[in-house]
Amino acid sequence: MAPSTRTEPAGDDRGLVAWIDRALEEGRPVLEVAAELARNALPAQGGQVTPFVYGSEGWFWSWNRAGFGYIERARYDEAATIFTAAYLSALRFQDDFQERLHKGTPLCNISYSYLRAKETTRARIPAALGVIEDTLTFADPKSQGNAANLRASGYGESRLQDLVGYTEEFFRARGQTPLYPEVVLRAMKWETFVNTNAAPQVKAIVEQMQQVASGFQPDSLVPSIERLRRAWAALDELPYPSETHRGDLAHARVESSAGVGPDTLTGTATVSGTNAIG
């Protein structure tokens, strides 16, 4: 019999739901909340809300409940911290078990949080990485929330197509599925596979991401977030940024919360003018 997966918390997980809601109401430090979620998410930490139980995307329900709780309170940087910890937890799971997870949900929601905070530049890298994850996973990545967030961050449609096309041609079509979407972005930046002399640049980002993944611990979030920040900074600017284009909507990905997220969450935000978020 194939193992079952859940998309919403079962009765024995309702204690975590109550803890998240109470932590938000009490205003507990966001790092404390993120650490508790990470402990519950990682099998090596004895966690029960793991990908083995909920599947690759379903296990993000607890992060979504907390993160969107912060978004409802207009605490966007704290929401970004929660979703970043979710991404780091996914990387650690991959490192522990050498099994790729689809990481489009936390990347989408990191970007969405920054867009809501009007931090357009910070929203761009996670959105681009999310597009790569979606391209490796879905038939139509440009209809997903990560693509909408990349547009909203100022990335033009032709440049988005470049990113999708490169990922499809040099990875998906060849049956290659990297553990880290950062590898694809670095390869595109250095035109690897066209210029093989650039391969060391890709190897460098692989090694850097391995350090990020293996070094993540729930109780040491700050250095882990800083290591991830440095890795993303090493990607430099995305290839071919647009100076004029702005998308119309930014999106959050809420499917994996499956009924346990805030009832009032719409999952979209209008972008206008100089990328202000409504």
Side-chain angles (χ1 to χ4, degrees):
M1 179 182 295
S4 62
T5 58
R6 304 172 183 169
T7 57
E8 61 181 20
D12 54 345
D13 295 324
R14 288 288 170 181
L16 179 57
V17 172
W19 186 90
I20 293 169
D21 292 347
R22 187 167 60 252
L24 290 169
E25 289 301 318
E26 294 174 357
R28 294 189 186 182
V30 66
L31 291 176
E32 176 187 333
V33 176
E36 181 64 19
L37 296 180
R39 281 189 288 269
N40 276 275
L42 293 172
Q45 299 284 326
Q48 301 300 309
V49 185
T50 73
F52 294 138
V53 177
Y54 284 95
S56 182
E57 283 279 85
W59 79 313
F60 291 115
W61 69 258
S62 59
W63 307 96
N64 281 358
R65 189 173 188 93
F68 290 125
Y70 284 113
I71 286 173
E72 281 198 324
R73 292 163 173 80
R75 293 160 63 179
Y76 305 124
D77 285 341
E78 289 166 293
T81 296
I82 290 290
F83 295 128
T84 300
Y87 183 63
L88 287 165
S89 294
L91 295 181
R92 179 57 191 263
F93 179 88
Q94 288 183 164
D95 190 70
D96 284 346
F97 296 96
Q98 291 299 292
E99 177 181 337
R100 178 192 176 249
L101 294 179
H102 176 53
K103 301 172 289 298
T105 288
L107 289 165
C108 183
N109 293 337
I110 294 168
S111 180
Y112 180 75
S113 299
Y114 286 139
L115 287 168
R116 291 295 298 267
K118 303 182 181 180
E119 296 186 48
T120 307
T121 301
R122 296 181 74 185
R124 192 170 289 160
I125 290 291
L129 297 174
V131 168
I132 292 166
E133 286 285 306
D134 289 343
T135 303
L136 293 169
T137 306
F138 299 125
D140 184 14
K142 290 192 292 183
S143 69
Q144 303 296 319
N146 281 300
N149 289 345
L150 192 52
R151 295 183 187 104
S153 76
Y155 217 59
E157 195 65 32
S158 64
R159 306 315 184 191
L160 170 61
Q161 181 56 55
D162 287 345
L163 180 60
V164 171
Y166 183 88
T167 305
E168 288 178 337
E169 179 179 0
F170 291 107
F171 287 87
R172 182 171 178 171
R174 301 181 184 200
Q176 294 177 241
T177 307
L179 292 177
Y180 313 114
E182 290 83 357
V183 170
V184 182
L185 200 58
R186 173 52 76 194
M188 183 180 183
K189 175 74 173 181
W190 283 87
E191 297 182 341
T192 305
F193 310 117
V194 177
N195 173 14
T196 56
N197 292 329
Q201 298 292 337
V202 177
K203 185 174 184 291
I205 196 68
V206 171
E207 293 173 347
Q208 191 170 18
M209 291 307 299
Q210 287 173 336
Q211 293 173 1
V212 171
S214 63
F216 174 70
Q217 296 288 343
D219 294 322
S220 59
L221 275 167
V222 172
S224 292
I225 290 172
E226 177 59 23
R227 281 192 291 268
L228 181 64
R229 187 199 66 78
R230 289 197 299 269
W232 285 2
L235 297 174
D236 303 320
E237 181 56 89
L238 297 183
Y240 313 118
S242 168
E243 298 299 330
T244 59
H245 180 83
R246 290 292 184 269
D248 295 326
L249 290 174
H251 287 261
R253 185 169 291 179
V254 297
E255 301 94 330
S256 61
S257 59
V260 300
D263 295 336
T264 58
L265 181 68
T266 63
T268 63
T270 301
V271 179
S272 61
T274 58
N275 216 43
I277 304 298

